[in-house]
Amino acid sequence: IALWTYTSRNMDLRTPTDNIPFQSITAAKDNIEESIIRTPLIPLNYNVPGKQVYLKLENLQPIGSFKIRGAGNALANLSSEELKDGVYTASAGNFAQGLAWNARERGIPCNVVVPDHAPVTKLDAIKRLGGNIVKVPFDQWWEVIQTHQYEGMKGKFIHPVCDPAVIAGNGTIGLEIVEDLPDVDVVICPYGGGGLISGVSSAVKSLRTNAKVYACEVETAAPLKLSLDFGKPSTFNYIASFVDGMGGKSVLDSMWPLVSNLVDDSLVVTLQEVADSVKLLAERNRVVAEGAGAATVAAALSEKFSDRLSGNIVCVISGGNIDTNKLIQALEGKIPQ
């Protein structure tokens, strides 16, 4: 643990390597085990020939998302001196909640820069957890993601994606998946900035070398698929949608070495498929998932990917923070607006 603490405090957070060391992930497990829920892995109540689909229910975390893991590990790796002025981040909602929750536990202030399309459910939760919100247009928010700073804001910036300690914290999900399902064949993670899948893949592939780890993107925000096809970080014509927990305009240059090495491919699904999966999860498993979390199930069930998805498939249900009106629309068979 001491070695990882030293490394993470002195590592350039803009330039992760092409993998996350396994010992960093096991150290993260020790750092956060008292503050998270070890979420269950359950079968999807839906029969598909040739495959068994499982759900890793990160929507059951105290903040309704996996982000509590990475945020907790990031703060555990910082000194009291580094935390004296508090922390801030740029987030569409879930990482902000994770950081605010952990900051509140430590009694330090937390500021959050959010994009103007962030859902009310997530903004209200950030406020309940003591976070101070600064709402900006999406392009300005994305600039904070890229530059790792917001002019005039005090505190230590914690990147929601690139920070190696955040990624290692996310990787603890992968440890739990293999512990619960040693013969896992495929893991599907929603892709936002790459922090989740990079951590999960680092853990899973360290323990189960033949397992495939796929990203999942939605048709309106699929920069990873585009980048993988072109072999370099590429810009996508991003369109905001109800699937707010994943997607962006491009793959971050600093994350490209990690994701290009650790991700087997990106599975792109439609908005309708995601909405249908939100409905399916609610009806079959009584699971409330936001768009990004349900997208992984959409990919697992899609006939488009049947040639590569077989055996034991784990869908990471990354979060459940969906606005009530959008959930209702999905349950009615509509694409939430």
Side-chain angles (χ1 to χ4, degrees), residues 220-241:
T220 54
L224 179 60
K225 181 60 176 175
L226 186 67
S227 299
L228 292 172
D229 287 348
F230 280 97
K232 63 180 181 180
S234 303
T235 301
F236 189 86
N237 185 24
Y238 171 85
I239 301 173
S241 74

Side-chain angles (χ1 to χ4, degrees), residues 12-337:
D12 183 352
L13 301 185
R14 301 187 188 203
T15 54
T17 58
D18 61 359
N19 65 78
I20 297 298
F22 185 71
Q23 63 268 28
S24 301
I25 299 172
T26 57
K29 179 182 178 181
D30 293 335
N31 286 338
I32 66 176
E33 62 182 353
E34 294 184 1
S35 60
I36 67 160
I37 292 173
R38 191 191 185 288
T39 54
L41 185 70
I42 66 171
L44 173 66
N45 294 329
Y46 187 85
N47 293 325
V48 184
K51 63 181 74 170
Q52 176 64 64
V53 179
Y54 294 87
L55 312 174
K56 179 62 171 169
L57 298 179
E58 286 298 296
N59 59 308
L60 299 180
Q61 292 292 353
I63 62 165
S65 127
F66 77 96
K67 299 281 191 175
I68 192 172
R69 295 177 184 257
N73 193 50
L75 295 193
N77 278 279
L78 294 172
S79 67
S80 56
E81 176 64 22
E82 290 172 300
L83 293 173
K84 66 178 182 179
D85 293 324
V87 291
Y88 76 97
T89 192
S91 167
N94 279 341
F95 186 79
Q97 291 179 60
L99 192 63
W101 192 93
N102 281 283
R104 185 183 65 179
E105 293 297 297
R106 289 166 173 77
I108 59 175
C110 175
N111 292 298
V112 183
V113 182
V114 304
D116 49 16
H117 73 281
V120 174
T121 297
K122 295 181 180 181
L123 298 180
D124 288 345
I126 294 168
K127 293 174 184 176
R128 285 197 305 271
L129 293 167
N132 178 55
I133 293 173
V134 177
K135 186 181 289 189
V136 298
F138 179 85
D139 287 344
Q140 187 177 351
W141 175 79
W142 190 250
E143 183 178 350
V144 180
I145 292 286
Q146 291 180 310
T147 63
H148 300 225
Q149 60 182 354
Y150 184 77
E151 187 175 354
M153 188 163 284
K154 292 180 62 177
K156 176 73 173 177
F157 180 74
I158 309 295
H159 200 284
V161 176
C162 298
D163 189 319
V166 170
I167 301 173
N170 297 339
T172 59
I173 296 171
L175 294 181
E176 294 173 10
I177 288 173
V178 179
E179 286 174 1
D180 290 349
L181 190 66
D183 55 350
V184 58
D185 297 301
V186 175
V187 178
I188 307 175
C189 297
Y191 188 88
L196 171 60
I197 197 168
S198 295
V200 170
S201 185
S202 293
V204 169
K205 294 192 176 209
S206 292
L207 297 168
R208 175 83 168 158
T209 55
N210 293 328
K212 299 291 186 181
V213 180
Y214 292 108
C216 180
E217 296 179 286
V218 69
E219 60 187 343
T220 54
L224 179 60
K225 181 60 176 175
L226 186 67
S227 299
L228 292 172
D229 287 348
F230 280 97
K232 63 180 181 180
S234 303
T235 301
F236 189 86
N237 185 24
Y238 171 85
I239 301 173
S241 74
F242 82 97
V243 190
D244 58 89
M246 67 180 193
K249 298 173 66 173
S250 63
V251 173
L252 297 171
D253 288 340
S254 57
M255 291 299 292
W256 178 245
L258 267 178
V259 297
S260 60
N261 180 56
L262 293 169
V263 178
D264 288 289
D265 200 358
S266 180
L267 312 176
V268 181
V269 295
T270 67
L271 288 173
Q272 186 64 65
E273 287 174 320
V274 177
D276 290 344
S277 293
V278 170
K279 184 174 187 287
L280 179 74
L281 286 166
E283 292 179 343
R284 296 299 183 94
N285 282 82
R286 298 298 185 256
V287 166
V288 174
E290 61 187 85
T296 58
V297 175
L301 300 182
S302 176
E303 293 185 1
K304 294 181 292 186
F305 312 121
S306 59
D307 59 329
R308 65 186 94 173
L309 301 181
S310 61
N312 292 320
I313 302 169
V314 173
C315 298
V316 178
I317 308 302
S318 55
N321 296 317
I322 184 171
D323 283 352
T324 302
N325 66 317
K326 292 180 180 178
L327 176 60
I328 291 171
Q329 292 176 63
L331 293 176
E332 293 174 338
K334 304 173 184 177
I335 297 175
Q337 302 300 314

